């Protein structure tokens, strides 16, 4: 049996999304910036997609910027939002942490607790006199821990500091209207929500200053030059609308499967396994095994089970997970973690098989 439990890395393209995209590849292929009829049809498709994203998130259409994905959106926000230094959590995706190093004004790091949560108190302790931006993700991409975005956003508002949240892993399970309402800016990625790869969105609220990302074109209100990916924008909008509409049903489905999986693994391995983090999103289970290691990923792959040791974009790195070390784990412990993430197509039969495969590899 082949079992895919790495939906946090990427998801398959939803057939409904592909159907919405299909006309844009052949029938509506014009450049949306061209003035002729073919261009106007493409521009109209982009306009409808932008309106759809805005409606789904509860924002204005002119607050939505299409990007090539979450990494681009994160870079744009962290490097170019506001002025002064940044405060980022130690749990952030590498796109945020790396971009913070390039920000004018420097950055500070808000520490996480062992439970995988970055509290508003930790953020407040990390603020300095010139902090102009705080960056804390909504759902951690490795552990699935949901961060107290509302509390951190309230702190930032009191202090007159901009707040940005990477929501890439949140879109399938959280109410994004509520999250977006609390933030000055958020990022999203299409391929995490059953949409096309190479698509994403940065939302920047009206009145918030952001410097251009790419110059040399008038696209995206002269802030991101370059011909828009029309089919990608349409596909992203379709995928976002679908996952937000179905998020409660998906959360119930994923939670049931994760609990079933963990119960089976814990029963067999006892103290030889621990779940990493608290207040977790229902579709992610990050487990650290006493006898684990990189070999376990390969062993499970040989049994047909696809999982990861953390973020897919860092899968080829030999160093420990920065997320787990930020949670106070040793470097050795941080190398023994495995992320299992569940999708809407995951079945109980697959979960039973995967749990049995894990136990067989470790006993």
């Amino acid at each position: 049996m082949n079992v895919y439990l790495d939906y946090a890395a990427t998801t398959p393209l939803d057939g409904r999304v592909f159907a919405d995209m299909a006309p844009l590849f052949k029938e509506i292929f014009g450049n949306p910036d061209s003035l002729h009829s073919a261009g106007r049809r493409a521009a109209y498709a982009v306009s409808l997609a932008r309106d759809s994203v805005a409606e789904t998130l509860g924002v204005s259409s002119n607050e939505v910027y299409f990007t090539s994905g979450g990494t681009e959106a994160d870079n744009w926000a962290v490097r170019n939002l506001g002025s002064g230094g940044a405060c980022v959590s130690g749990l952030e995706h590498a796109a945020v942490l790396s971009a913070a190093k390039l920000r004018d004004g420097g950055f500070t790091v808000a520490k996480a607790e062992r439970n995988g949560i970055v509290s508003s108190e930790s953020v407040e302790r990390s603020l300095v006199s010139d902090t102009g931006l705080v960056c804390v993700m909504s759902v951690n991409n490795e552990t699935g821990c949901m961060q107290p975005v509302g509390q951190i956003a309230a702190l930032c508002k009191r202090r007159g500091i901009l707040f940005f949240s990477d929501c890439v892993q949140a879109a399938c399970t959280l109410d994004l209207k509520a999250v977006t309402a609390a933030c000055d800016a958020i990022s999203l990625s299409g391929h995490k929500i059953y949409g096309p790869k190479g698509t994403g969105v940065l939302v920047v609220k009206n009145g918030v200053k952001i410097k251009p990302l790419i110059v040399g074109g008038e696209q995206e209100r002269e802030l991101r030059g370059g011909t828009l990916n029309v089919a990608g924008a349409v596909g992203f909008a379709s995928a976002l609308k679908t996952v937000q509409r179905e998020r409660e049903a998906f959360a119930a489905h994923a939670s049931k499967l994760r609990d079933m999986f963990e119960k089976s693994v814990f029963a067999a391995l006892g103290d030889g396994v621990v779940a990493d983090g608290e207040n977790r999103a229902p579709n992610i289970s990050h487990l650290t095994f006493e006898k684990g290691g990189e070999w376990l990923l390969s062993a499970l792959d040989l049994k047909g089970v696809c999982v990861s040791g953390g973020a897919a974009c860092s899968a080829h790195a030999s160093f420990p997970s920065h997320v787990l070390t930020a949670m106070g784990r040793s470097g050795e412990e941080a190398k023994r973690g495995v992320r299992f993430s569940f999708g809407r197509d995951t079945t109980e039969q697959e979960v039973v098989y995967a749990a049995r495969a894990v136990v067989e590899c470790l006993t």
Side-chain angles (χ1 to χ4, degrees):
M1 176 181 286
N2 292 315
V3 180
Y4 183 79
L5 294 183
D6 203 17
Y7 287 88
T10 197
T11 57
L13 185 66
D14 187 321
R16 295 168 292 182
V17 173
F18 178 74
D20 287 340
M21 295 174 65
L24 284 305
F25 291 112
K26 291 187 65 176
E27 300 166 28
I28 310 175
F29 60 88
N31 187 323
D33 293 300
S34 297
L35 299 180
H36 47 60
S37 59
R40 291 197 301 272
R41 285 195 295 272
Y44 183 61
V46 172
S47 178
L48 290 180
R50 198 184 307 275
D51 289 346
S52 175
V53 172
E55 181 180 9
T56 300
L57 298 177
V59 299
S60 299
S61 295
N62 64 357
E63 296 173 318
V64 176
Y65 298 86
F66 289 112
T67 71
S68 67
T71 294
E72 180 189 311
D74 285 347
N75 271 260
W76 190 1
V78 177
R79 296 182 65 179
N80 293 345
L81 270 175
S83 59
C87 171
V88 303
S89 90
L91 304 176
E92 298 303 296
H93 188 278
V96 170
L97 293 174
S98 297
K101 297 176 182 178
L102 301 176
R103 182 180 171 90
D104 294 338
F107 70 103
T108 58
V109 178
K111 295 182 178 179
E113 303 296 333
R114 285 190 66 86
N115 63 0
I117 304 298
V118 176
S119 67
S120 59
E121 290 79 12
S122 177
V123 171
E124 189 162 28
R125 288 192 296 268
S126 303
L127 300 178
V128 294
S129 59
D130 74 335
T131 301
L133 175 68
V134 168
C135 309
V136 179
M137 65 200 329
S138 294
V139 174
N140 184 262
N141 55 299
E142 293 190 27
T143 64
C145 291
M146 298 182 288
Q147 305 303 320
V149 167
Q151 296 175 20
I152 297 170
L155 164 67
C156 291
K157 186 175 182 179
R158 292 196 303 270
R159 298 290 294 267
I161 299 171
L162 297 178
F163 179 55
F164 162 70
S165 187
D166 175 338
C167 293
V168 166
Q169 287 292 346
C172 287
T173 55
L174 298 189
D175 178 1
L176 287 185
K177 275 190 177 179
V179 175
T180 306
C183 302
D184 294 297
I186 71 162
S187 61
L188 293 165
S189 177
H191 77 104
K192 307 290 189 179
I193 56 174
Y194 302 87
K197 293 177 175 64
T199 65
V201 153
L202 177 67
V203 172
V204 181
K205 297 291 187 61
N206 287 330
V208 175
K209 294 183 179 180
I210 187 167
K211 302 181 185 72
L213 174 68
I214 302 172
V215 296
E218 298 180 355
Q219 293 86 358
E220 298 303 274
R221 297 176 286 289
E222 298 187 17
L223 293 177
R224 182 186 183 271
T227 302
L228 278 172
N229 176 358
V230 179
V234 170
F236 178 91
S238 175
L240 182 66
K241 182 178 181 179
T242 300
V243 296
Q244 280 289 283
R245 183 179 63 239
E246 299 175 355
R247 65 180 179 81
E248 291 184 353
F250 170 68
H253 170 72
S255 179
K256 178 182 178 181
L257 296 179
R258 186 187 67 182
D259 291 349
M260 177 188 303
F261 174 77
E262 291 186 348
K263 183 178 180 180
S264 180
V265 172
F266 293 158
L269 300 180
D271 294 337
V273 57
V274 295
D276 298 308
E278 298 176 0
N279 194 34
R280 300 175 297 162
N283 56 323
I284 297 178
S285 172
H286 194 285
L287 306 179
T288 294
F289 298 96
E290 183 179 11
K291 300 178 181 179
E294 189 173 318
W295 68 269
L296 181 55
L297 303 180
S298 298
L300 288 172
D301 190 34
L302 289 174
K303 290 180 176 290
V305 181
C306 297
V307 295
S308 68
C313 52
S314 300
H316 300 288
S318 60
F319 47 79
S321 162
H322 76 274
V323 171
L324 294 186
T325 54
M327 292 166 58
R329 307 296 172 81
S330 69
E332 182 59 33
E333 287 178 306
K335 290 182 178 180
R336 301 202 305 264
V338 178
R339 181 185 67 186
F340 304 85
S341 47
F342 307 88
R344 61 189 182 200
D345 297 323
T346 307
T347 67
E348 292 186 11
Q349 182 183 15
E350 289 175 329
V351 167
V352 170
Y353 179 85
R356 185 183 303 122
V358 169
V359 174
E360 289 175 354
C361 288
L362 291 168
T363 55

